[in-house]
Amino acid sequence: MVSRIITGKMHVFGNNIDTDQIYPGQYLDVTDHKEMAKYCLQGASDKFAEEFQKGDIVVAGTNFGCGSSRENAAIALKVRGVGAVVAKSFGRIFYRNAYNLGLPLIICPRIDEIAGHGEELTIDMDRELAINNRTGKSVEIEPISEYAMKILNAGGIKALLNPKRS
Amino acid sequence: MHALEKILAHHAGLKEVKAGEIVNCKVDIAGINDLYPQTMYSFWEIGGEKVANPENVVIFLDHYAPPSTIKAAQTHAEFRQFAREQGIDKLMDVNAGVCHQVLADKGLVAPGKLIVITDSHTTTHGAFGAFGTGVGATDLACILKTGELWFRVPRVIKITLNGTLQPGVYAKDIILHVIGKVGADFAIYKGVEFAGTLIPQLSISERMALCNMTTEMGAKTSYIQPDEVTISYLKEKGVKEYNIFMTDPDYEYEEELTFDVSEIKPRVAAPFSVDNVYDIKDYLGTPVDQAFLGTCTGGRLEDIAVAAKILKGKKIHKNTRMLVVPASMETQMEAIRLGYMQDLLEAGCTFVTPGCAACLGTHEGLIAEGETCITSSSRNFPGRMGHKQGKIFLASPATVAASALHGVITDPTPYLK
């Protein structure tokens, strides 16, 4: 079962962070997942690689993960250790890819009201809230669909379809 | 129900489906491209041994055609072996071209089909009245294992395009105009249908450009109701089996928008997002280092033809290089037969192997720091075609050719009256 409460330091990005920025095209021939993780968000930020710590949360505006279908983008975030991505909306192929890998994506239309780079965020799936732990201010998150939750709880679609594997 | 819903219902074995419902559908065409060997790895990881319907699977070696790195060459070798072992006959090797154009050329697309490819621009197939949608590698692996995939039935937005295009204005200008108005996230999770008096005037090629770019407003799929233009294309390609679905008159669209296209002038999308759209007059005279004509968005025969019309007997500007990438081998052979290739080579253009080429920043024509490229492709994200500080302007094939001629962003209209 996936934890119903996720807490981590925020890395804040803007709108339309496409999968080219999450995983630049020049590394698309890489097949090793650990190596993919090194390039995570390289096209969007020069600082992310050094500032990021395992379990941190990526926060963004609208349409995060738009563009190319490259699963490498979701793999890089997952293997890098991103705890969750919270955004106002997500590109649909990226959304499926992330859930298939067991990476929680949280839709939060008012996240910009509480986003603060480097501050701690708590996502509470039971109370359907995102909370900035410094200011105490909270905003609503959209519930995760039953189907997506089933995939997440299994640890991704691969474990769901092939339980012998894990 | 909408025709798109009827296609999903048909493939799910259901009489009716409702928007928001999750349904399991049999897939007619499952396409894998060479960026995603992860599809094979995921197939094995989910316990796949034998591909469920190898006759429905198409492998495209298009994004790295021909391979420019040893890793990409290795991936191609793995795909060829996979195809042999799994009895997948439809392996489109490095000479074939971009997946979407290859499917159209070979008559593998038809109204009513459910087409799923590991490529975001699979929305292109709405031009034929098919349900086309892009997925990632692991979703495609699920299709390989079971022949099916789950879909959430999308709500549908109707975009009505009325009027007649002015000379020098193309479907690419219209779709850029629309995306500029509605934004890059307008249609996330939704289907986009095009209708209106413009549609019967558009060729299949232009319809493909429209539907292709719905991905850039976030759409899951797109749709144009098949008509005489569609039927005559199918006849030409020898396609006999198809299933035309009609939207019920009482279907309620999520949203309906209407545009008068008669007044629209050539458009450009300026860096760094596809919805950053302007009238070309706002950027006239901007120096261009590279002009790029190609891809599943703007590399079809008509696109090459208009470039040849503008550049025949002339020379492109000395400060500008122009890459021409036919979308497919068939496109390339026709471009040779009709003399366009000769015209463009004489004008100083560089021809590149049919495929995706520089569009996604992997190889064959990347741009350097500070350079500007004008392109008939689909995306101008930071770093999309090379260096992060490179600037990409999206435009019609005609605008690309006219800009190469003058070395600066140029309105193609005077050449096309």
Side-chain angles (χ1 to χ4, degrees):
Chain A
M1 290 287 280
V2 70
S3 170
R4 306 286 297 175
I5 292 182
I6 302 169
T7 297
K9 194 177 66 178
M10 287 187 262
H11 296 259
V12 181
F13 296 86
N15 294 336
N16 295 326
I17 299 294
D18 59 84
T19 54
D20 277 81
Q21 293 184 70
I22 301 170
Y23 193 85
Q26 69 204 86
Y27 309 118
L28 278 170
D29 60 355
V30 172
T31 53
D32 178 70
H33 289 189
K34 286 202 179 106
E35 192 187 342
M36 282 184 201
K38 284 199 281 187
Y39 311 123
C40 180
L41 280 161
Q42 201 189 77
S45 163
D46 295 328
K47 293 190 193 133
F48 180 81
E50 57 180 272
E51 289 180 354
F52 180 83
Q53 288 173 315
K54 200 172 180 321
D56 285 356
I57 294 171
V58 170
V59 170
T62 53
N63 214 14
F64 185 88
C66 62
S68 158
S69 62
R70 60 191 66 169
E71 195 160 302
N72 313 45
I75 293 169
L77 290 162
K78 172 77 180 169
V79 177
R80 190 74 180 80
V82 170
V85 184
V86 185
K88 291 185 174 188
S89 61
F90 291 95
R92 59 159 286 276
I93 303 178
F94 174 76
Y95 191 84
R96 288 184 72 124
N97 287 344
Y99 272 92
N100 280 344
L101 292 166
L103 172 66
L105 302 188
I106 310 292
I107 299 173
C108 180
R110 291 168 56 203
I111 187 64
D112 54 319
E113 294 175 23
I114 63 163
H117 200 80
E119 296 175 359
E120 197 180 75
L121 184 77
T122 290
I123 298 156
D124 185 331
M125 294 191 205
D126 291 321
R127 290 160 63 209
E128 293 177 1
L129 289 175
I131 307 137
N132 180 318
N133 291 343
R134 186 183 68 80
T135 62
K137 195 174 173 205
S138 64
V139 287
E140 285 180 3
I141 60 171
E142 288 186 10
I144 297 171
S145 77
E146 202 180 316
Y147 199 85
M149 207 61 218
K150 194 170 94 177
I151 299 172
L152 209 56
N153 275 329
I157 194 97
K158 289 174 191 170
L160 189 69
L161 294 178
N162 188 13
K164 278 183 288 183
R165 201 177 147 257
S166 44
Chain B
M1 283 194 290
H2 191 275
L4 286 167
E5 293 179 313
K6 291 183 184 178
I7 297 174
L8 287 184
H10 179 76
H11 287 82
L14 298 169
K15 275 211 170 75
E16 200 179 2
V17 297
K18 285 194 179 70
E21 186 182 348
I22 288 176
V23 291
N24 234 22
C25 294
K26 285 199 169 66
V27 172
D28 294 317
I29 297 275
I32 312 166
N33 64 49
D34 56 351
L35 291 179
Y36 309 118
Q38 181 63 44
T39 312
M40 295 182 285
Y41 310 153
S42 289
F43 172 69
W44 294 317
E45 286 168 24
I46 58 177
E49 287 172 8
K50 226 33 210 161
V51 168
N53 302 105
E55 69 281 6
N56 293 350
V57 178
V58 191
I59 295 174
F60 302 95
L61 307 186
D62 53 359
H63 286 66
Y64 278 114
S68 49
T69 67
I70 294 168
K71 280 178 181 161
Q74 189 63 37
T75 292
H76 280 189
E78 288 177 30
F79 270 121
R80 292 189 189 101
Q81 189 186 342
F82 186 75
R84 276 195 301 274
E85 286 172 0
Q86 295 289 344
I88 297 166
D89 296 333
K90 297 187 195 73
L91 174 84
M92 306 303 170
D93 217 304
V94 295
N95 59 345
V98 188
C99 52
H100 308 301
Q101 191 59 36
V102 173
L103 283 187
D105 288 351
K106 294 193 181 298
L108 291 168
V109 191
K113 279 197 179 185
L114 177 54
I115 296 170
V116 184
I117 308 177
T118 56
D119 189 277
S120 57
H121 289 111
T122 309
T123 54
T124 306
H125 304 291
F128 303 89
F131 190 117
T133 193
V135 296
T138 300
D139 269 336
L140 206 289
C142 295
I143 306 176
L144 292 183
K145 192 179 177 196
T146 64
E148 300 181 354
L149 190 65
W150 67 270
F151 297 91
R152 194 167 75 174
V153 179
R155 297 200 58 85
V156 183
I157 296 165
K158 186 178 189 176
I159 297 181
T160 302
L161 305 172
N162 287 332
T164 299
L165 300 180
Q166 293 183 33
V169 178
Y170 296 86
K172 180 66 174 293
D173 297 298
I174 301 308
I175 191 67
L176 287 177
H177 176 77
V178 171
I179 296 171
K181 292 289 176 205
V182 300
D185 58 351
F186 174 65
I188 297 179
Y189 311 127
K190 296 179 185 127
V192 170
E193 178 184 351
F194 294 104
T197 60
L198 175 69
I199 302 301
Q201 306 168 54
L202 293 182
S203 64
I204 284 290
S205 175
E206 289 283 84
R207 294 176 188 196
M208 287 174 82
L210 277 187
C211 291
N212 174 283
M213 289 291 289
T214 60
T215 300
E216 308 311 324
M217 54 173 104
K220 174 181 192 140
T221 189
S222 75
Y223 193 76
I224 291 175
Q225 189 61 44
D227 62 5
E228 284 166 22
V229 174
T230 326
I231 304 292
S232 106
Y233 183 90
L234 295 169
K235 263 194 196 140
E236 191 189 307
K237 297 293 171 191
V239 182
K240 293 197 180 72
E241 283 181 32
Y242 51 84
N243 203 347
I244 295 176
F245 291 92
M246 303 289 287
T247 300
D248 296 328
D250 63 350
Y251 177 77
E252 281 184 31
Y253 287 90
E254 163 88 359
E255 201 169 335
E256 298 195 43
L257 300 174
T258 301
F259 293 87
D260 177 4
V261 300
S262 306
E263 297 303 315
I264 294 175
K265 302 283 184 195
R267 288 282 187 269
V268 291
F272 289 95
S273 73
V274 182
D275 56 4
N276 191 26
V277 176
Y278 296 88
D279 190 308
I280 195 167
K281 71 176 169 26
D282 295 338
Y283 280 97
L284 290 175
T286 305
V288 167
D289 301 289
Q290 174 163 295
F292 181 91
L293 184 91
T295 77
C296 59
T297 311
R300 278 175 272 281
L301 191 64
E302 289 177 22
D303 305 325
I304 295 171
V306 74
K309 184 173 176 178
I310 292 169
L311 294 173
K312 185 174 181 162
K314 305 188 184 86
K315 291 279 180 209
I316 60 170
H317 194 270
K318 63 179 171 48
N319 294 345
T320 305
R321 52 199 189 265
M322 177 159 164
L323 306 180
V324 181
V325 196
S328 68
M329 173 162 59
E330 198 167 295
T331 305
Q332 175 164 256
M333 296 212 304
E334 277 296 290
I336 293 172
R337 196 178 65 79
L338 294 164
Y340 303 150
M341 199 149 172
Q342 186 77 22
D343 297 338
L344 290 167
L345 287 169
E346 282 173 2
C349 297
T350 306
F351 264 81
V352 178
T353 313
C356 306
C359 170
L360 69 159
T362 50
H363 68 162
E364 293 181 326
L366 308 190
I367 56 173
E369 182 172 8
E371 282 195 326
T372 296
C373 178
I374 190 158
T375 175
S376 66
S377 62
S378 56
R379 290 182 175 141
N380 59 354
F381 306 152
R384 172 70 180 179
M385 208 185 274
H387 197 280
K388 251 200 270 190
Q389 311 305 340
K391 297 190 188 77
I392 303 167
F393 286 84
L394 307 178
S396 77
T399 300
V400 168
S403 302
L405 182 61
H406 294 281
V408 294
I409 293 180
T410 301
D411 186 339
T413 310
Y415 299 97
L416 298 159
K417 276 184 173 160

